[in-house]
Amino acid sequence: MATRVRKTNTEQKILETAAGLFHRHGLRGVGVDQVIADSAVAKSTLYAHFRTKDDLIAAYLRRTDESWMGRLQAAAEAAGADPAERLVGLFDALLASFDRHGFFGCPFISAAVEAELDSKAHEATVAHTRRRQEWLTDLAGAAGAAEPAALAAHLGLLIDGALASGRLLQDRAVVDAAKTAARAAVLAQTPQHAGTAE
């Protein structure tokens, strides 16, 4: 049991170090040797957990998927019980992210640009996007949207656009504008909520 705990702690340490480096320098801007040096583990230890850099990046993206989806869902739930309100409220996760440390860009958009199409990193990025879109589609359906998948696609574009533009402009107003556009899209697709929007 102790060995498993030690292995888990080491793996988390490597992932946390890699996450910070990838966040600041991009996937291609970080070598395995830098991750080894900054996490203070032996090369053999890193390779015992992650056979390749692609494996390490994919694990980092899966970890980020859990964290980011959790933030989006928490922001949605904080907006209230109405699914339509939640579809708009989820944008508060982007605002909170900006308020914490500014925009360093979306790791999934970065991975989509930097990773090879046949890589595990690309696979993890696609899996995240599909998971997010399925959640948005379910929420849009619960809100009574006429076309849940279309509304979810619209909101997904607003999320990705806000993250990309936020990185470029470093301006919180980008997310405010995306949230306003999301509210308009939700109201257009869920006319029964037209009188309840703030």
Side-chain angles (χ1 to χ4, degrees):
M1 183 69 174
T3 302
R4 180 61 199 155
V5 170
R6 194 159 49 247
K7 180 178 179 184
T8 300
N9 288 342
T10 301
E11 187 174 320
Q12 290 306 314
K13 180 181 180 182
I14 293 168
L15 280 172
E16 284 170 14
T17 301
L21 290 169
F22 291 145
H23 199 60
R24 288 191 300 277
H25 306 294
L27 303 182
R28 291 183 183 164
V30 176
V32 171
D33 288 343
Q34 187 176 3
V35 176
I36 290 167
D38 285 21
S39 58
V41 299
K43 183 176 284 193
S44 59
T45 300
L46 183 137
Y47 284 115
H49 293 285
F50 309 102
R51 291 186 312 114
T52 65
K53 182 181 176 183
D54 188 31
D55 288 336
L56 175 61
I57 292 170
Y60 149 71
L61 290 171
R62 287 191 295 270
R63 181 177 182 261
T64 303
D65 170 61
E66 289 298 322
S67 172
W68 183 233
M69 284 297 298
R71 288 185 192 143
L72 288 172
Q73 290 166 345
E77 289 171 11
D82 187 334
E85 292 175 7
R86 290 183 173 193
L87 286 167
V88 178
L90 66 87
F91 283 82
D92 290 340
L94 281 70
L95 291 168
S97 179
F98 180 80
D99 290 344
R100 269 196 312 277
H101 48 59
F103 282 123
F104 286 92
C106 172
F108 301 102
I109 294 173
S110 297
V113 171
E114 295 187 62
E116 298 296 329
L117 291 178
D118 60 350
S119 66
K120 292 178 182 176
H122 180 77
E123 184 181 306
T125 297
V126 170
H128 163 75
T129 304
R130 286 183 177 153
R131 180 180 177 208
R132 185 194 70 189
Q133 291 309 115
E134 286 170 5
W135 172 62
L136 289 173
T137 300
D138 289 345
L139 204 51
E147 297 178 48
L151 178 57
H154 190 154
L155 296 176
L157 288 171
L158 288 171
I159 292 168
D160 292 338
L163 290 170
S165 293
R167 168 70 168 139
L168 177 65
L169 301 173
Q170 289 299 309
D171 187 351
R172 192 179 195 272
V174 168
V175 181
D176 289 324
K179 185 175 179 180
T180 298
R183 178 175 286 112
V186 169
L187 292 179
Q189 281 271 335
T190 60
Q192 69 272 25
H193 292 94
T196 64
E198 292 181 0

